[in-house]
């Protein structure tokens, strides 16, 4: 097998914490932190997972989503010992998002409808904000791939998959990979219109789940080829073993009823990593808590891995942070793998007879050298990422 | 990489024949678009005639938005232009500058008009940037990876790098690489008020094009080979793409100094117009013109060299 | 509501469905009042169902959140019209 792609740094920001240690504590304690939206009101119920620190508010020249991304990127680079990038190393930046690539400003649009004067603030901020590109400029690194991945809710996981392929193909030497998204009133109204926004704190895989809660934040990994990382004195403990992506070719909003795209993504990742089903110590599932996602994902995972492989959804800690959540969940998968535990699947109480898996109700010890993280998205995109212990 | 097929749709029509025609004979004048919500603003645009969308595959996708329809049309045209690849080894990479912003605006317009609890779920689900790739994969029944890359200036160049990474790493054997951008009211308003367009030479356009790519193989099976420009290579011809409509934030090293023929006026200003220049470059290859350099003036990505 | 009004309501409903759901090759007058809208019949799917929820809200002032209730109401033009007759607020 070719050189391994190792994880040398991680960063994470969500309602569950400002950094890795805080996330570790929240997840271990089974603490959830959702609330009524604080900065917008809507004529329907639906708790959200906000990053409440005002330091991340949008400014005249920078979108909120960029500030959220920057926090995780800074933490990850610092953990990797890469505050200063080595000369002659090509840095690739791969970030998934939805909101950074949409001009979601209802006030601006209302002004347009009502004939008000043109206000350049949000367009200017928007056009300055291509996420990966701006991150490169912020880091002061001119050259290298700058890829903003927009595959809806699978964006973050797909961004890491791209980073893996770029590193293996020699298109970059160090990769920053993950995703970021901000809470937006437009997404909030959108998921409500689809009838999948839960009026209460979400309950992934529970029989009485009523839908998802939105969240925001960022999750980022630093990836490098193993010899290069070791050459600069790092002893990595985890690596990216495989990645698979597959399309349902079925429906814009509904997953394939038998999870065929998800299964194909998982089997591609397993084959690429030269692993078998039984090698997975646990699975961090997409588990959004919508009736359809959890039933289809739960059945698909049980069909592939058997009902006894531990499966957890961490949406009860972060909410569904759309393009950012794949990055966060890779971080949680990495922590669980390295430390040998998975958190309680917050919100899961009653077994759904239609779902053959039983997520943990408490923090649970796991073992195994590998773990899987899955993401499913609008448009029938499915992504699977396998991390391994060195 | 090899280019095995090219399909496209723009103001000048559908297919390489239509592009060839446009290169020789020019194009019909732009139409005038009066903004429905701001009647005092009108601007010339190069838009796609609606009748082109009236094909069975698109009629079957009843909910598809214009963004998805343009991509379906160009992808179908691309596959008609080449031998069909084994569909289980095909990945889709889609480049866009602005995504389906018209659907996004329609959705948020519904929130404004009817209330936050009365948005259209169809508009919302079609406002994600990967909706066009999803329609293409659904139309062709490809189950491989599909990824959408968004960048205001360099999305096509980046998508070419993704294609290379996928082919080099063996993830897929064929890549259907597409680009799509659409005209929409709110963006036209921003371009107009932000003085990014004028009525003579900065006319917004829309369209989509797809390249079917594979790893390099025998010369007989390809339309052209495509790779980043190498130093020390002399091109026989240089094309300079000037389609970009959104200026790069400074500081950025771009290819702005390159000189050569530009055909961007045939499709209009759009973030991913560079893909049409690549199609022109493929058309310009002859036994006499063996190497065509194609530069994206606004992009920081290296220029591409097309060879027979 | 007179029989004439009910018939007008059904005609309006059919026109709304064809327009809002982007139905192709279906004319409003082709939709049979008692025929199933989902599955066989018109072939509507889950995304159409939530679109109909919004349609009821926008045009008749009806808020329908309960999915089980939705399944009963959305069976056919007849069941939709019956529900609207009783529950409309505009």
């Amino acid at each position: 097998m070719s050189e391994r792609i190792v994880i040398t740094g991680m960063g994470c920001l969500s309602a569950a914490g400002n950094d890795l240690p805080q996330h570790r504590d929240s997840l271990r304690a089974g603490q959830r932190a959702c609330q009524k939206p604080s900065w917008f009101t809507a004529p329907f119920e639906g708790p959200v997972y906000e990053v409440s620190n005002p330091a991340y508010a949008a400014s005249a020249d920078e979108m909120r989503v960029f500030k959220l991304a920057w926090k995780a990127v800074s933490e990850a680079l610092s953990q990797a010992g890469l505050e200063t990038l080595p000369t002659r190393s090509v840095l690739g930046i791969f970030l998934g998002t939805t909101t950074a690539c949409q001009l979601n400003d209802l006030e601006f649009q209302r002004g347009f409808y009502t004939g008000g004067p043109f206000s350049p603030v949000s367009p200017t901020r928007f056009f300055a904000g291509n996420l990966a590109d701006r991150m490169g400029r912020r880091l002061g690194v001119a050259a290298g791939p700058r890829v903003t991945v927009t595959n809806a809710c699978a964006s973050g996981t797909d961004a890491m998959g791209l980073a893996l392929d770029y590193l293996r193909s020699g298109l970059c030497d160090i990769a920053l990979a993950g995703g970021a998204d901000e809470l937006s009133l437009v997404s909030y109204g959108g998921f409500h219109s689809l009838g999948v926004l839960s009026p209460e704190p979400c309950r992934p895989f529970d029989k009485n789940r009523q839908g998802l809660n939105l969240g925001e934040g960022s999750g980022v990994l630093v990836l490098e080829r193993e010899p290069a990382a070791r050459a600069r004195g790092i002893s990595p403990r985890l690596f990216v073993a495989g990645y698979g992506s597959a399309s349902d070719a079925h429906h814009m909003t509904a997953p394939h009823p038998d999870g065929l795209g998800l299964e194909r993504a998982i089997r591609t990742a397993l084959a690429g990593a030269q692993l078998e089903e039984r090698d997975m110590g646990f699975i961090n599932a997409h588990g959004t808590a919508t009736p359809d996602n959890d039933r289809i994902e739960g059945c698909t995972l049980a069909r592939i891995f058997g009902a006894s492989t531990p499966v957890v959804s961490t949406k009860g800690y972060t909410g569904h942070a759309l393009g950012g959540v794949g990055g966060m969940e890779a971080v949680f998968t990495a922590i669980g793998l390295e430390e040998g535990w998975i958190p309680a699947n917050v919100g899961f109480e009653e077994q759904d007879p239609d779902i053959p898996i039983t997520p943990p109700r408490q923090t649970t010890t796991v073992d195994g050298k590998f773990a899987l993280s899955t993401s499913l998205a609008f448009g029938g995109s499915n992504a699977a990422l396998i991390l391994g212990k060195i | 990489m090899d280019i095995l097929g090219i399909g496209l749709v723009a103001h000048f029509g559908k297919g390489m024949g239509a592009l060839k025609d446009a290169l020789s004979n020019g194009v019909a004048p732009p139409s005038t678009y009066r903004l429905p919500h701001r009647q005092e603003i009108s601007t010339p645009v190069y838009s796609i005639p609606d009748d082109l969308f009236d094909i069975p595959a698109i009629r079957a996708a009843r909910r598809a938005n214009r963004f998805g329809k343009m991509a379906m049309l160009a992808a179908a045209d691309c596959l008609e232009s080449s031998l069909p690849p084994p569909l289980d080894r095909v990945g889709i990479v889609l480049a866009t500058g602005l995504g389906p912003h018209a659907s996004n605006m329609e959705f948020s317009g519904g929130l404004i008009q009817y209330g936050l609890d009365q948005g259209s779920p169809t508009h919302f689900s079609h406002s994600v940037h990967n909706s066009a790739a999803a329609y293409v994969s659904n139309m062709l029944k490809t189950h491989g990876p599909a990824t959408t890359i968004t960048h205001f200036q360099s999305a096509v160049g980046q998508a070419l790098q993704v294609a290379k990474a996928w082919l080099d790493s063996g993830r897929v054997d064929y890549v259907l690489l597409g680009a799509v951008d659409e005209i929409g009211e709110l963006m036209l308003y921003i371009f107009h008020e932000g003085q990014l367009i004028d009525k003579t030479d900065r006319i917004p356009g829309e369209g989509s094009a797809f390249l079917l790519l594979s790893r390099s193989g025998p010369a007989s099976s390809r339309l052209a080979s495509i790779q980043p420009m190498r130093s020390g290579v002399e091109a026989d011809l240089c094309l300079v793409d000037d389609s970009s409509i959104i200026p790069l934030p400074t500081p950025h090293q771009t290819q702005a100094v390159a000189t050569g023929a530009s055909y961007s006026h045939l499709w209009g200003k759009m973030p991913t117009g560079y893909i049409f220049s690549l199609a022109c470059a493929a058309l310009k290859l002859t036994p006499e013109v063996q190497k065509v350099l194609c530069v994206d003036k606004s992009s920081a990505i290296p220029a591409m060299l097309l060879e027979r | 509501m007179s029989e004439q009004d009910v018939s007008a309501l059904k005609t309006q409903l059919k026109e709304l469905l064809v327009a809002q759901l982007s139905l192709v090759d279906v004319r409003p007058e082709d939709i049979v009042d008692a025929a199933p809208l989902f599955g066989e019949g018109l072939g509507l799917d889950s995304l159409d169902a939530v679109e109909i929820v919004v349609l009821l809200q926008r045009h008749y002032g009806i808020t329908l959140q309960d999915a089980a209730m939705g399944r009963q109401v959305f069976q056919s033009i007849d069941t939709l019209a019956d529900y609207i007759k009783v529950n409309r607020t505009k």
Side-chain angles (χ1 to χ4, degrees):
Chain A
M1 205 171 147
S2 56
E3 293 164 352
R4 287 194 291 203
I5 305 302
V6 297
I7 301 174
T8 57
M10 301 197 290
C12 195
L13 171 65
S14 79
N18 294 323
D19 55 20
L20 288 179
Q22 287 185 12
H23 278 94
R24 187 181 280 111
D25 292 348
S26 301
L27 266 63
R28 265 210 105 95
Q31 253 168 17
R32 71 154 107 213
C34 58
Q35 58 179 82
K36 233 176 134 70
S38 71
W39 58 276
F40 56 72
T41 51
F44 49 87
E45 293 294 314
V48 294
Y49 290 78
E50 287 182 355
V51 174
S52 49
N53 187 335
Y56 301 108
S59 51
D61 63 342
E62 206 159 77
M63 293 173 87
R64 174 174 175 78
V65 54
F66 180 83
K67 292 177 195 267
L68 297 172
W70 173 250
K71 173 68 175 69
V73 163
S74 312
E75 185 183 15
L77 285 174
S78 150
Q79 210 196 41
L82 287 171
E83 285 94 343
T84 321
L85 290 163
T87 46
R88 284 209 286 272
S89 286
V90 176
L91 175 73
I93 303 174
F94 306 84
L95 292 173
T97 186
T98 64
T99 48
C101 292
Q102 289 180 326
L103 183 69
N104 286 330
D105 185 337
L106 294 182
E107 282 319 302
F108 177 81
Q109 193 167 336
R110 206 187 307 270
F112 167 68
Y113 286 154
T114 53
F118 179 71
S119 159
V121 176
S122 47
T124 306
R125 185 164 59 204
F126 173 62
F127 288 127
N130 180 279
L131 196 58
D133 195 53
R134 190 174 172 86
M135 193 60 71
R137 275 180 282 134
R138 176 68 170 268
L139 290 166
V141 186
R146 302 284 177 265
V147 187
T148 300
V149 181
T150 45
N151 293 342
C153 307
S155 302
T157 305
D158 284 330
M160 289 179 284
L162 279 180
L164 183 69
D165 288 351
Y166 272 58
L167 285 161
R168 284 180 174 163
S169 308
L171 291 166
C172 62
D173 304 307
I174 300 171
L176 269 170
D181 248 320
E182 65 181 46
L183 268 173
S184 148
L185 189 48
V186 174
S187 322
Y188 193 62
F191 283 96
H192 171 79
S193 78
L194 283 162
V196 296
L197 205 60
S198 172
E200 50 158 40
C202 65
R203 299 193 225 170
F205 296 113
D206 187 89
K207 179 172 179 246
N208 302 307
R209 64 194 181 280
Q210 294 190 55
L212 57 81
N213 303 144
L214 287 178
E216 64 180 350
S218 54
V220 171
L221 305 182
V222 178
L223 305 176
E224 300 173 65
R225 287 186 290 274
E226 185 169 10
R230 292 199 186 276
R232 56 179 196 90
I234 305 280
S235 300
R237 296 185 295 271
L238 298 167
F239 69 107
V240 181
Y243 159 78
S245 160
S247 308
D248 282 344
H250 170 69
H251 193 268
M252 190 54 81
T253 53
H256 187 283
D258 298 319
L260 290 188
L262 176 61
E263 175 162 1
R264 186 177 161 127
I266 291 169
R267 295 207 179 281
T268 304
L270 286 170
Q274 297 176 304
L275 294 171
E276 294 182 24
E277 295 84 349
R278 63 169 184 272
D279 294 322
M280 293 305 112
F282 69 92
I283 297 162
N284 186 310
H286 193 52
T288 55
T290 67
D292 279 355
N293 177 87
D294 289 10
R295 189 187 68 255
I296 292 168
E297 191 183 17
C299 290
T300 305
L301 293 176
R303 185 171 73 236
I304 300 172
F305 297 101
S308 61
T309 300
V311 175
V312 61
S313 162
T314 47
K315 294 290 190 294
Y317 299 92
T318 61
H320 190 358
L322 308 180
V325 86
M328 296 174 185
E329 290 173 12
V331 170
F332 302 154
T333 305
I335 293 175
L337 192 58
E338 192 177 346
E339 301 181 5
W341 59 275
I342 53 174
N345 188 116
V346 181
F348 176 74
E349 287 164 20
E350 194 176 343
Q351 180 81 41
D352 183 335
D354 294 333
I355 302 180
I357 55 162
T358 306
R361 294 181 175 88
Q362 297 91 31
T363 307
T364 300
T365 307
V366 289
D367 55 16
K369 286 190 68 181
F370 297 93
L372 170 75
S373 177
T374 54
S375 297
L376 288 78
F378 278 0
S381 285
N382 302 273
L385 186 78
I386 299 175
L387 303 185
K389 233 185 330 194
I390 288 176
Chain B
M1 294 183 288
D2 283 354
I3 300 177
L4 305 178
I6 305 178
L8 44 82
V9 60
H11 167 72
F12 51 75
K14 186 183 84 158
M16 288 293 266
L19 177 59
K20 209 168 180 173
D21 238 32
L23 281 167
S24 316
N25 307 318
V27 295
S31 51
T32 300
Y33 184 91
R34 191 169 291 284
L35 272 54
H37 288 91
R38 291 293 281 271
Q39 291 280 318
E40 76 276 17
I41 302 174
S42 71
T43 167
V45 292
Y46 285 122
S47 59
I48 292 180
D50 281 333
D51 57 355
L52 284 180
F53 296 129
D54 198 10
I55 63 168
I58 291 180
R59 291 178 70 77
R62 63 180 158 100
R63 281 189 283 245
N65 51 6
R66 200 175 179 77
F67 187 73
K69 285 178 184 176
M70 289 192 289
M72 279 192 277
L73 206 52
D77 182 46
C78 178
L79 289 188
E80 277 168 26
S81 77
S82 65
L83 289 172
L87 289 177
D88 62 333
R89 294 301 302 158
V90 176
I92 297 170
V93 182
L94 196 125
T96 183
L98 291 163
H101 53 88
S103 290
N104 196 40
M105 179 197 148
E106 264 187 289
F107 175 71
S108 33
L111 298 182
I112 292 169
Q113 188 181 349
Y114 298 102
L116 293 171
D117 57 342
Q118 294 184 44
S120 155
T122 306
H123 289 151
F124 179 63
S125 61
H126 286 65
S127 71
V128 294
H129 286 213
N130 61 327
S131 56
Y135 270 110
V136 170
S137 95
N138 203 5
M139 172 180 74
L140 302 174
K141 298 297 167 201
T142 60
H143 296 277
T147 204
T148 298
I149 304 302
T150 299
H151 193 276
F152 298 125
Q153 294 86 16
S154 309
V156 174
Q158 293 182 344
L160 283 162
Q161 288 185 342
V162 171
K164 183 166 166 46
W166 277 5
L167 292 169
D168 284 357
S169 64
R171 188 160 295 287
V172 294
D173 295 328
Y174 299 88
V175 172
L176 202 48
L177 182 152
V180 55
D181 269 302
E182 65 175 348
I183 283 171
E185 189 188 11
L186 195 63
M187 281 301 159
L188 285 178
Y189 169 66
I190 291 168
F191 294 161
H192 188 272
E193 297 299 308
Q195 297 177 345
L196 297 173
I197 52 179
D198 66 41
K199 289 188 194 290
T200 50
D201 73 335
R202 298 188 64 78
I203 299 171
E206 65 179 356
S208 177
F210 274 76
L211 312 176
L212 179 64
L213 301 169
S214 69
R215 286 181 282 273
S216 296
S220 59
S221 63
R222 66 179 176 228
L223 290 177
S225 80
I226 181 169
Q227 56 187 313
M229 183 63 176
R230 312 176 295 273
S231 59
V233 175
E234 288 261 326
D236 301 314
L237 181 70
C238 179
L239 302 187
V240 178
D241 184 82
D242 191 19
S243 308
S244 177
I245 190 160
I246 302 152
L248 263 175
T250 48
H252 247 300
Q253 294 288 327
T254 66
Q255 325 274 332
V257 292
T259 55
S262 174
Y263 299 110
S264 302
H265 56 281
L266 300 178
W267 47 87
K269 294 284 171 188
M270 53 184 277
T272 51
Y274 179 51
I275 198 160
F276 291 108
S277 285
L278 291 172
C280 290
L283 280 177
K284 292 286 176 189
L285 290 169
T286 62
E288 291 73 45
V289 180
Q290 297 265 347
K291 292 184 171 67
V292 179
L293 181 65
C294 189
V295 182
D296 185 350
K297 201 170 169 178
S298 68
S299 169
I301 302 245
M304 300 306 289
L305 185 71
L306 277 79
E307 293 177 82
R308 276 171 69 87
Chain C
M1 221 179 186
S2 74
E3 221 162 273
Q4 218 174 3
D5 291 343
V6 173
S7 159
L9 171 64
K10 288 180 179 174
T11 304
Q12 184 192 36
L13 260 177
K14 291 173 191 177
E15 284 165 359
L16 283 171
L17 288 184
V18 169
Q20 296 301 308
L21 308 182
S22 312
L23 301 180
V24 286
D25 304 327
V26 179
R27 291 171 307 173
E29 56 269 33
D30 296 337
I31 303 176
V32 180
D33 291 358
L37 295 174
F38 289 80
E40 291 166 43
L42 259 195
L44 303 186
D45 63 17
S46 57
L47 187 48
D48 295 309
V50 280
E51 198 65 53
I52 296 174
V53 171
V54 173
L55 185 153
L56 292 182
Q57 231 174 331
R58 287 183 181 181
H59 294 273
Y60 305 104
I62 294 175
T63 307
L64 207 160
Q65 294 288 12
D66 182 0
M69 176 67 105
R71 269 192 291 281
Q72 281 184 12
V73 174
F74 296 171
Q75 282 176 36
S76 65
I77 292 289
D78 280 337
T79 57
L80 263 176
D82 286 346
Y83 189 79
I84 294 170
K85 254 186 330 198
V86 178
N87 295 286
R88 68 187 299 168
T89 61
K90 67 179 185 193

